[in-house]
Amino acid sequence: MRGSKGPLLWIFSDPEALSRAAATLFARRARQAIRRSGRFAVALSGGQTPRQAYEWLARSPCRDAVEWDRVHVFWGDERCVPFEDPRNNARMAFEALLNHVPIPQDQIHPIACADDPKAAAARYERILRDFFGERPARFDLVFLGLGEDGHTASLFPFSPALEEQVRWVVAVEEATPPRVTLTFPLLNQARLVAFLVSGANKAGILREVLRSPPNLRQRPAQGIRPIGGRVLWLVDRAAGSLL
Ligand code: 6PG
C-alpha cells in the first residue's frame, strides 16, 4: 500500500482476489453512502476487467449486504452500439450483476447511444443533472479501468474530450465504434475512484501512469485526481509486476 499522499495501491494475488475485493468495496461504500445520504450513486466501468467483480457482487454475501433499493447506477462510458452487441458495457453489467439484484429499474441509467452519440451525450448529461439536482454532483464510487494506451472511461490520449472543462458528458466520435464518456469535470468530483487493473499486458502502462510525471494528454488516466476525493488502485500481481 502506498503512502497517504499519493493514490492508494492494493495488489492482489490474482484476478479473483481483485474482483472479490472490488465487490466488497462496493458493498462497504454503499453502506456508508446510504447511512450518510440515504442513497448510493455509483458509476460502473466497462471493458472486461470488472465483469468478475460484478458477478461476485451479485452473489451472497455482497448481494445481501447492499440495500439495492437505495442504489443508483450510471456508467462512466459506453460504446455506441446496440444493447444486444457484446461490446455494449451496459449489457455486460446487466448479465453479470443487474439482472440478479433487486434494484429498481428506474434507478439504472444506461447510456443509450447507438443512434446519435452527440444527442445521447446531451441526454445523459440532463439525466445526471436532474439526478444530482441541487446536491453536489459527487458519485460515491466510480469504477474505472485502464487501457493499454493509458485511456480510462472513453478518455483517449490526445482526444478533444480531455480538454472539456464544463460539460459532464461528451461524445467521442473519433473512436471506433463512437463512444459517450463522462469527462474530468464530473469524474473528478467523485468521493472515491477505484481503478480495477488486471493482467501482465497492463504492467507497462500501469507503471507509467503511477510513476511517470503527469501528462494527461498522453496518459488520460493521470487526469483522474478527484478534488476532495480519493483514488484507489486495485491491481493483480501480474499488472503490478513492474511497480
Ligand atoms: C471501455 C472502458 C475502458 C476500459 C479499459 C480497460 O468501455 O472500454 O470503459 O476504459 O475500462 O479499456 O478495458 P479491459 O478491462 O477490457 O482491459
Side-chain angles (χ1 to χ4, degrees):
M1 189 128 67
R2 293 277 301 283
S4 57
K5 285 279 172 281
L8 290 175
L9 175 67
W10 293 353
I11 299 183
F12 298 92
S13 53
D14 54 40
E16 178 172 330
L18 186 166
S19 301
R20 296 180 70 148
T24 305
L25 177 70
F26 180 110
R28 192 169 72 241
R29 298 297 291 197
R31 194 165 48 248
Q32 291 167 353
I34 292 163
R35 192 181 303 136
R36 181 178 63 242
S37 68
R39 69 183 189 182
F40 176 56
V42 59
L44 298 181
S45 171
Q48 287 312 309
T49 304
R51 178 188 286 272
Q52 197 179 23
Y54 300 163
E55 289 166 350
W56 276 112
L57 196 48
R59 286 183 224 146
S60 179
C62 286
R63 182 189 192 282
D64 310 325
V66 176
E67 291 179 78
W68 293 102
D69 62 337
R70 302 295 189 91
V71 176
H72 301 261
V73 173
F74 298 84
W75 272 263
D77 72 327
E78 186 55 274
R79 294 89 175 269
C80 295
V81 294
F83 180 82
E84 301 70 27
D85 188 305
R87 295 171 294 176
N88 187 284
N89 288 335
R91 171 186 157 148
M92 184 273 276
F94 272 94
E95 281 176 353
L97 171 60
L98 300 172
N99 287 336
H100 311 288
V101 292
I103 181 170
Q105 288 304 300
D106 65 355
Q107 293 177 198
I108 303 174
H109 306 282
I111 304 173
C113 60
D115 299 332
D116 180 338
K118 272 198 173 140
R123 196 167 49 243
Y124 207 64
E125 175 139 358
R126 182 77 272 133
I127 289 168
L128 284 161
R129 289 188 183 276
D130 289 347
F131 173 76
F132 286 114
E134 298 308 310
R135 298 185 187 197
R138 300 195 74 186
F139 281 111
D140 298 299
L141 175 62
V142 175
F143 276 143
L144 287 176
L146 178 65
E148 292 185 53
D149 60 357
H151 82 262
T152 191
S154 286
L155 296 167
F156 294 98
F158 310 107
S159 164
L162 303 178
E163 314 305 328
E164 182 59 48
Q165 295 299 318
V166 176
R167 288 176 295 171
W168 290 354
V169 189
V170 295
V172 181
E173 299 192 283
E174 70 269 19
T176 306
R179 313 257 188 127
V180 166
T181 187
L182 302 191
T183 60
F184 289 132
L186 181 57
L187 291 169
N188 280 332
Q189 293 188 63
R191 294 180 190 279
L192 177 66
V193 175
F195 281 93
L196 310 182
V197 189
S198 169
N201 62 316
K202 301 289 178 74
I205 189 61
L206 182 62
R207 177 186 171 83
E208 280 187 54
V209 166
L210 292 180
R211 298 280 192 272
S212 300
N215 181 336
L216 72 83
R217 279 170 192 73
Q218 196 171 355
R219 295 178 287 270
Q222 291 182 318
I224 298 296
R225 295 190 295 269
I227 304 142
R230 295 306 310 264
V231 177
L232 178 55
W233 291 83
L234 286 80
V235 310
D236 66 8
R237 192 171 290 144
S241 59
L242 298 179
L243 294 180

